[in-house]
Amino acid sequence: MGIRQWMILLTMCTVACNSQEKKIQVLSHAAQDASCPYLTTTADGKTVISWVEASAGADTGTLYYAVSDDKGKTFSTPQQVPTANGILPHAENMPKMVFKPDGEIIAIYGVEQNDPRNKYAGRVFYTRSLNGGKNWLPAQALVTDTGSYDQRYFDIALLPDGEAAAIWLDNRKDVDAEGSSLYFAVTAGHDGFKQEKSLAETVCQCCRTDLYTDGDGGIHIAFRDIINDSIRDMVHMVSTDRGASFSTMNRISADNWVVRGCPHTGPAMVKNKDGMHFTWFTMGGGEGVYYCQSADNGQTYTHKQKVSSVPLAKHPQITALADNKIMLVWDEPVKVKNAFNSRVGFQLRDGAGKVLDTGLLTPDSVYASYPVIKGLDGNTVLVAYTQREGELQRVCCMRMSE
């Protein structure tokens, strides 16, 4: 059944006043600038959406989150994470949360570094709650080595044993070449992240990384690598021993995109019964959002397939549903009169990757960007994104079910 036949339920969104406004639940505060939505779940399976709120005109903001115990139909009153502030909003470097089975919550976020060695440098901090969000410990730096002055584009995931893993891009490297190093660390009980180690060097320094744990305990990492000094293609590596070792990185697609710049659009991946599924943006061998899969855990990959017909479609995300289908979302520009808006597109595929439906989730009349997606059950997904209204932005969330 195609998504066009699904019932779309707007559980929270901000749009211009219209006859449907009474059906809209707004989670962010009306006078605040909200962005960077992220979707996750609590240890007992409740749906969580987090985002950043900043005062109008402010450069930095604070983390908020809300919880749904009815699969995204309604959400709790937004809760502030008081120790996660000074956040520099960046949708490719969005704050993220993880809920450990032992009751600990970790919120991780980026701030500006203001370092003369790199005007774009940032730092990553995290804060923890040991009692379900009632109280939060002081924020602490993810990296304490003074040789590290730039950490960005992090991700976090829960491991099968209940600990959390994190990856991030770091300036520390042993080679004199462009790019960052990819670092990895794991929590140790309630003592925070420990035993960091470098996994790769000459990684594209400005694209989102993706950390994913599959149902078999495998830890997957995808990122944009710098190959032969100028090619910026997506690579994948996997660990089957809780991160003690990782496979050699493999390109998911030999796009051979030669670019000496920062694409600012990272990869996404998910696993179902048929294998791993990937989506990414490239301008090598074609321009736009692409998809491929791997049935052998990253040893080989299928030839890439174009997802959106719009060349400048970017920022893809992907999820798996309990019925083995997968769904992708992305944003793409659309010309409206003499200006450009941005809209969110979708694609539904069956478990083996065959396209079932492709379409749009937002109208051309609004500016919607940076979608994130999470499967809730066999026939329900939740899509969150940022929507611009005048000088401010709002976080929107769309629940779709059969």
mmCIF file of all heavy atoms in Angstrom, residues 23-60:
data_model
loop_
_atom_site.group_PDB
_atom_site.id
_atom_site.type_symbol
_atom_site.label_atom_id
_atom_site.label_comp_id
_atom_site.label_asym_id
_atom_site.label_seq_id
_atom_site.Cartn_x
_atom_site.Cartn_y
_atom_site.Cartn_z
ATOM 1 N N LYS A 23 -6.389 22.022 14.597
ATOM 2 C CA LYS A 23 -5.915 20.640 14.643
ATOM 3 C C LYS A 23 -4.410 20.549 14.874
ATOM 4 O O LYS A 23 -3.875 19.462 14.998
ATOM 5 C CB LYS A 23 -6.260 19.930 13.332
ATOM 6 C CG LYS A 23 -7.744 19.834 13.043
ATOM 7 C CD LYS A 23 -7.983 19.139 11.722
ATOM 8 C CE LYS A 23 -9.468 19.073 11.396
ATOM 9 N NZ LYS A 23 -9.710 18.405 10.091
ATOM 10 N N ILE A 24 -3.753 21.682 14.948
ATOM 11 C CA ILE A 24 -2.298 21.705 15.016
ATOM 12 C C ILE A 24 -1.830 21.877 16.453
ATOM 13 O O ILE A 24 -2.293 22.762 17.166
ATOM 14 C CB ILE A 24 -1.739 22.833 14.136
ATOM 15 C CG1 ILE A 24 -2.099 22.566 12.674
ATOM 16 C CG2 ILE A 24 -0.235 22.971 14.296
ATOM 17 C CD1 ILE A 24 -1.826 23.719 11.760
ATOM 18 N N GLN A 25 -0.898 21.017 16.858
ATOM 19 C CA GLN A 25 -0.269 21.141 18.163
ATOM 20 C C GLN A 25 1.121 21.720 17.981
ATOM 21 O O GLN A 25 1.940 21.148 17.258
ATOM 22 C CB GLN A 25 -0.178 19.769 18.839
ATOM 23 C CG GLN A 25 0.467 19.818 20.203
ATOM 24 C CD GLN A 25 0.646 18.436 20.819
ATOM 25 O OE1 GLN A 25 0.288 17.433 20.221
ATOM 26 N NE2 GLN A 25 1.207 18.395 22.016
ATOM 27 N N VAL A 26 1.381 22.856 18.605
ATOM 28 C CA VAL A 26 2.692 23.503 18.515
ATOM 29 C C VAL A 26 3.462 23.208 19.792
ATOM 30 O O VAL A 26 3.023 23.548 20.878
ATOM 31 C CB VAL A 26 2.546 25.025 18.321
ATOM 32 C CG1 VAL A 26 3.912 25.681 18.253
ATOM 33 C CG2 VAL A 26 1.729 25.315 17.074
ATOM 34 N N LEU A 27 4.604 22.587 19.671
ATOM 35 C CA LEU A 27 5.399 22.240 20.853
ATOM 36 C C LEU A 27 6.378 23.332 21.239
ATOM 37 O O LEU A 27 6.645 23.529 22.420
ATOM 38 C CB LEU A 27 6.150 20.930 20.618
ATOM 39 C CG LEU A 27 5.282 19.685 20.479
ATOM 40 C CD1 LEU A 27 6.146 18.454 20.371
ATOM 41 C CD2 LEU A 27 4.331 19.556 21.661
ATOM 42 N N SER A 28 6.948 24.017 20.268
ATOM 43 C CA SER A 28 7.897 25.076 20.602
ATOM 44 C C SER A 28 7.140 26.334 20.994
ATOM 45 O O SER A 28 5.983 26.529 20.634
ATOM 46 C CB SER A 28 8.820 25.359 19.422
ATOM 47 O OG SER A 28 8.067 25.636 18.261
ATOM 48 N N HIS A 29 7.823 27.181 21.734
ATOM 49 C CA HIS A 29 7.200 28.417 22.192
ATOM 50 C C HIS A 29 7.074 29.402 21.025
ATOM 51 O O HIS A 29 7.994 29.534 20.213
ATOM 52 C CB HIS A 29 8.006 29.032 23.325
ATOM 53 C CG HIS A 29 8.060 28.152 24.540
ATOM 54 N ND1 HIS A 29 9.072 27.262 24.769
ATOM 55 C CD2 HIS A 29 7.197 28.020 25.577
ATOM 56 C CE1 HIS A 29 8.846 26.620 25.905
ATOM 57 N NE2 HIS A 29 7.717 27.061 26.411
ATOM 58 N N ALA A 30 5.973 30.097 20.979
ATOM 59 C CA ALA A 30 5.609 30.908 19.815
ATOM 60 C C ALA A 30 6.645 31.975 19.480
ATOM 61 O O ALA A 30 6.899 32.253 18.320
ATOM 62 C CB ALA A 30 4.241 31.549 20.048
ATOM 63 N N ALA A 31 7.253 32.574 20.478
ATOM 64 C CA ALA A 31 8.180 33.679 20.223
ATOM 65 C C ALA A 31 9.618 33.215 20.056
ATOM 66 O O ALA A 31 10.523 34.033 19.888
ATOM 67 C CB ALA A 31 8.100 34.694 21.366
ATOM 68 N N GLN A 32 9.844 31.887 20.083
ATOM 69 C CA GLN A 32 11.192 31.349 19.987
ATOM 70 C C GLN A 32 11.494 30.852 18.578
ATOM 71 O O GLN A 32 10.584 30.565 17.798
ATOM 72 C CB GLN A 32 11.361 30.193 20.974
ATOM 73 C CG GLN A 32 11.204 30.591 22.442
ATOM 74 C CD GLN A 32 12.383 31.393 22.936
ATOM 75 O OE1 GLN A 32 12.376 32.621 22.883
ATOM 76 N NE2 GLN A 32 13.404 30.712 23.425
ATOM 77 N N ASP A 33 12.765 30.773 18.284
ATOM 78 C CA ASP A 33 13.223 30.236 17.003
ATOM 79 C C ASP A 33 13.619 28.782 17.242
ATOM 80 O O ASP A 33 14.579 28.500 17.970
ATOM 81 C CB ASP A 33 14.416 31.047 16.504
ATOM 82 C CG ASP A 33 14.723 30.759 15.043
ATOM 83 O OD1 ASP A 33 13.802 30.394 14.301
ATOM 84 O OD2 ASP A 33 15.898 30.893 14.663
ATOM 85 N N ALA A 34 12.888 27.832 16.656
ATOM 86 C CA ALA A 34 13.091 26.404 16.918
ATOM 87 C C ALA A 34 13.646 25.713 15.678
ATOM 88 O O ALA A 34 13.273 26.030 14.550
ATOM 89 C CB ALA A 34 11.781 25.749 17.349
ATOM 90 N N SER A 35 14.540 24.747 15.891
ATOM 91 C CA SER A 35 15.160 24.023 14.771
ATOM 92 C C SER A 35 15.774 22.734 15.287
ATOM 93 O O SER A 35 15.682 22.399 16.463
ATOM 94 C CB SER A 35 16.233 24.894 14.099
ATOM 95 O OG SER A 35 17.273 25.210 15.013
ATOM 96 N N CYS A 36 16.414 22.000 14.376
ATOM 97 C CA CYS A 36 17.191 20.804 14.702
ATOM 98 C C CYS A 36 16.375 19.690 15.350
ATOM 99 O O CYS A 36 16.774 19.130 16.384
ATOM 100 C CB CYS A 36 18.369 21.156 15.607
ATOM 101 S SG CYS A 36 19.498 22.385 14.937
ATOM 102 N N PRO A 37 15.233 19.287 14.780
ATOM 103 C CA PRO A 37 14.489 18.178 15.380
ATOM 104 C C PRO A 37 15.257 16.870 15.298
ATOM 105 O O PRO A 37 16.009 16.636 14.340
ATOM 106 C CB PRO A 37 13.209 18.127 14.546
ATOM 107 C CG PRO A 37 13.601 18.697 13.217
ATOM 108 C CD PRO A 37 14.595 19.777 13.546
ATOM 109 N N TYR A 38 15.040 16.024 16.295
ATOM 110 C CA TYR A 38 15.670 14.705 16.350
ATOM 111 C C TYR A 38 14.689 13.742 17.000
ATOM 112 O O TYR A 38 13.988 14.101 17.954
ATOM 113 C CB TYR A 38 16.962 14.772 17.171
ATOM 114 C CG TYR A 38 17.650 13.438 17.342
ATOM 115 C CD1 TYR A 38 18.282 12.815 16.267
ATOM 116 C CD2 TYR A 38 17.678 12.807 18.582
ATOM 117 C CE1 TYR A 38 18.924 11.596 16.421
ATOM 118 C CE2 TYR A 38 18.321 11.591 18.752
ATOM 119 C CZ TYR A 38 18.935 10.977 17.665
ATOM 120 O OH TYR A 38 19.562 9.774 17.814
ATOM 121 N N LEU A 39 14.614 12.523 16.480
ATOM 122 C CA LEU A 39 13.672 11.522 16.977
ATOM 123 C C LEU A 39 14.413 10.357 17.609
ATOM 124 O O LEU A 39 15.385 9.849 17.054
ATOM 125 C CB LEU A 39 12.797 11.001 15.835
ATOM 126 C CG LEU A 39 11.838 12.005 15.203
ATOM 127 C CD1 LEU A 39 11.229 11.439 13.923
ATOM 128 C CD2 LEU A 39 10.739 12.399 16.180
ATOM 129 N N THR A 40 13.937 9.910 18.766
ATOM 130 C CA THR A 40 14.505 8.750 19.433
ATOM 131 C C THR A 40 13.414 8.099 20.283
ATOM 132 O O THR A 40 12.242 8.473 20.197
ATOM 133 C CB THR A 40 15.724 9.158 20.291
ATOM 134 O OG1 THR A 40 16.370 7.988 20.780
ATOM 135 C CG2 THR A 40 15.334 10.051 21.451
ATOM 136 N N THR A 41 13.784 7.120 21.099
ATOM 137 C CA THR A 41 12.815 6.445 21.966
ATOM 138 C C THR A 41 13.388 6.305 23.364
ATOM 139 O O THR A 41 14.609 6.255 23.563
ATOM 140 C CB THR A 41 12.452 5.048 21.434
ATOM 141 O OG1 THR A 41 13.660 4.272 21.292
ATOM 142 C CG2 THR A 41 11.764 5.129 20.086
ATOM 143 N N THR A 42 12.498 6.220 24.344
ATOM 144 C CA THR A 42 12.910 5.948 25.717
ATOM 145 C C THR A 42 13.203 4.465 25.862
ATOM 146 O O THR A 42 12.930 3.659 24.962
ATOM 147 C CB THR A 42 11.807 6.352 26.702
ATOM 148 O OG1 THR A 42 10.645 5.541 26.443
ATOM 149 C CG2 THR A 42 11.441 7.825 26.554
ATOM 150 N N ALA A 43 13.720 4.079 27.010
ATOM 151 C CA ALA A 43 14.048 2.674 27.246
ATOM 152 C C ALA A 43 12.818 1.783 27.216
ATOM 153 O O ALA A 43 12.913 0.599 26.885
ATOM 154 C CB ALA A 43 14.772 2.531 28.584
ATOM 155 N N ASP A 44 11.648 2.340 27.532
ATOM 156 C CA ASP A 44 10.412 1.550 27.497
ATOM 157 C C ASP A 44 9.598 1.795 26.227
ATOM 158 O O ASP A 44 8.410 1.473 26.173
ATOM 159 C CB ASP A 44 9.560 1.807 28.738
ATOM 160 C CG ASP A 44 9.195 3.281 28.920
ATOM 161 O OD1 ASP A 44 9.676 4.117 28.121
ATOM 162 O OD2 ASP A 44 8.443 3.599 29.858
ATOM 163 N N GLY A 45 10.232 2.351 25.199
ATOM 164 C CA GLY A 45 9.608 2.416 23.887
ATOM 165 C C GLY A 45 8.770 3.632 23.582
ATOM 166 O O GLY A 45 8.119 3.677 22.537
ATOM 167 N N LYS A 46 8.769 4.649 24.419
ATOM 168 C CA LYS A 46 8.022 5.863 24.124
ATOM 169 C C LYS A 46 8.784 6.704 23.100
ATOM 170 O O LYS A 46 10.008 6.671 23.044
ATOM 171 C CB LYS A 46 7.785 6.662 25.403
ATOM 172 C CG LYS A 46 6.912 5.935 26.420
ATOM 173 C CD LYS A 46 6.771 6.740 27.701
ATOM 174 C CE LYS A 46 5.935 5.977 28.721
ATOM 175 N NZ LYS A 46 5.846 6.709 30.019
ATOM 176 N N THR A 47 8.044 7.447 22.318
ATOM 177 C CA THR A 47 8.639 8.269 21.266
ATOM 178 C C THR A 47 9.079 9.617 21.829
ATOM 179 O O THR A 47 8.334 10.259 22.575
ATOM 180 C CB THR A 47 7.637 8.495 20.130
ATOM 181 O OG1 THR A 47 7.186 7.227 19.652
ATOM 182 C CG2 THR A 47 8.267 9.268 18.991
ATOM 183 N N VAL A 48 10.267 10.054 21.444
ATOM 184 C CA VAL A 48 10.814 11.316 21.936
ATOM 185 C C VAL A 48 11.221 12.172 20.749
ATOM 186 O O VAL A 48 11.828 11.691 19.790
ATOM 187 C CB VAL A 48 12.045 11.079 22.835
ATOM 188 C CG1 VAL A 48 12.628 12.405 23.310
ATOM 189 C CG2 VAL A 48 11.686 10.204 24.026
ATOM 190 N N ILE A 49 10.872 13.442 20.794
ATOM 191 C CA ILE A 49 11.376 14.403 19.831
ATOM 192 C C ILE A 49 12.095 15.497 20.603
ATOM 193 O O ILE A 49 11.597 16.004 21.612
ATOM 194 C CB ILE A 49 10.252 15.002 18.957
ATOM 195 C CG1 ILE A 49 10.835 16.008 17.967
ATOM 196 C CG2 ILE A 49 9.151 15.620 19.780
ATOM 197 C CD1 ILE A 49 9.860 16.448 16.897
ATOM 198 N N SER A 50 13.301 15.848 20.164
ATOM 199 C CA SER A 50 14.050 16.937 20.784
ATOM 200 C C SER A 50 14.335 17.999 19.740
ATOM 201 O O SER A 50 14.309 17.729 18.537
ATOM 202 C CB SER A 50 15.353 16.418 21.396
ATOM 203 O OG SER A 50 16.209 15.879 20.393
ATOM 204 N N TRP A 51 14.616 19.201 20.183
ATOM 205 C CA TRP A 51 14.913 20.306 19.278
ATOM 206 C C TRP A 51 15.614 21.414 20.048
ATOM 207 O O TRP A 51 15.702 21.382 21.280
ATOM 208 C CB TRP A 51 13.631 20.839 18.620
ATOM 209 C CG TRP A 51 12.671 21.494 19.565
ATOM 210 C CD1 TRP A 51 12.578 22.827 19.866
ATOM 211 C CD2 TRP A 51 11.655 20.854 20.359
ATOM 212 N NE1 TRP A 51 11.572 23.062 20.776
ATOM 213 C CE2 TRP A 51 10.987 21.866 21.095
ATOM 214 C CE3 TRP A 51 11.242 19.526 20.513
ATOM 215 C CZ2 TRP A 51 9.947 21.584 21.987
ATOM 216 C CZ3 TRP A 51 10.200 19.245 21.385
ATOM 217 C CH2 TRP A 51 9.558 20.262 22.101
ATOM 218 N N VAL A 52 16.093 22.415 19.327
ATOM 219 C CA VAL A 52 16.762 23.573 19.924
ATOM 220 C C VAL A 52 15.842 24.775 19.833
ATOM 221 O O VAL A 52 15.225 25.018 18.794
ATOM 222 C CB VAL A 52 18.093 23.885 19.206
ATOM 223 C CG1 VAL A 52 18.754 25.119 19.816
ATOM 224 C CG2 VAL A 52 19.030 22.692 19.294
ATOM 225 N N GLU A 53 15.753 25.526 20.916
ATOM 226 C CA GLU A 53 15.024 26.799 20.908
ATOM 227 C C GLU A 53 15.975 27.930 21.257
ATOM 228 O O GLU A 53 16.771 27.817 22.190
ATOM 229 C CB GLU A 53 13.869 26.777 21.918
ATOM 230 C CG GLU A 53 12.645 26.045 21.428
ATOM 231 C CD GLU A 53 11.421 26.320 22.295
ATOM 232 O OE1 GLU A 53 11.431 27.337 23.033
ATOM 233 O OE2 GLU A 53 10.470 25.532 22.231
ATOM 234 N N ALA A 54 15.880 29.007 20.500
ATOM 235 C CA ALA A 54 16.684 30.195 20.747
ATOM 236 C C ALA A 54 15.778 31.419 20.729
ATOM 237 O O ALA A 54 14.749 31.432 20.054
ATOM 238 C CB ALA A 54 17.769 30.338 19.689
ATOM 239 N N SER A 55 16.157 32.434 21.464
ATOM 240 C CA SER A 55 15.413 33.689 21.413
ATOM 241 C C SER A 55 15.564 34.305 20.030
ATOM 242 O O SER A 55 16.572 34.089 19.350
ATOM 243 C CB SER A 55 15.931 34.659 22.480
ATOM 244 O OG SER A 55 15.788 34.115 23.777
ATOM 245 N N ALA A 56 14.565 35.041 19.600
ATOM 246 C CA ALA A 56 14.608 35.654 18.278
ATOM 247 C C ALA A 56 15.868 36.500 18.137
ATOM 248 O O ALA A 56 16.155 37.363 18.970
ATOM 249 C CB ALA A 56 13.367 36.520 18.067
ATOM 250 N N GLY A 57 16.644 36.223 17.102
ATOM 251 C CA GLY A 57 17.869 36.967 16.853
ATOM 252 C C GLY A 57 19.090 36.447 17.579
ATOM 253 O O GLY A 57 20.201 36.913 17.313
ATOM 254 N N ALA A 58 18.919 35.477 18.482
ATOM 255 C CA ALA A 58 20.059 34.943 19.242
ATOM 256 C C ALA A 58 20.836 33.926 18.400
ATOM 257 O O ALA A 58 20.269 33.246 17.552
ATOM 258 C CB ALA A 58 19.569 34.298 20.536
ATOM 259 N N ASP A 59 22.118 33.816 18.679
ATOM 260 C CA ASP A 59 22.969 32.880 17.937
ATOM 261 C C ASP A 59 22.957 31.482 18.528
ATOM 262 O O ASP A 59 23.278 30.511 17.833
ATOM 263 C CB ASP A 59 24.407 33.396 17.889
ATOM 264 C CG ASP A 59 24.546 34.672 17.078
ATOM 265 O OD1 ASP A 59 23.767 34.855 16.121
ATOM 266 O OD2 ASP A 59 25.424 35.488 17.422
ATOM 267 N N THR A 60 22.649 31.360 19.804
ATOM 268 C CA THR A 60 22.682 30.064 20.468
ATOM 269 C C THR A 60 21.364 29.799 21.186
ATOM 270 O O THR A 60 20.576 30.715 21.444
ATOM 271 C CB THR A 60 23.843 29.977 21.475
ATOM 272 O OG1 THR A 60 23.643 30.958 22.501
ATOM 273 C CG2 THR A 60 25.174 30.228 20.782
#
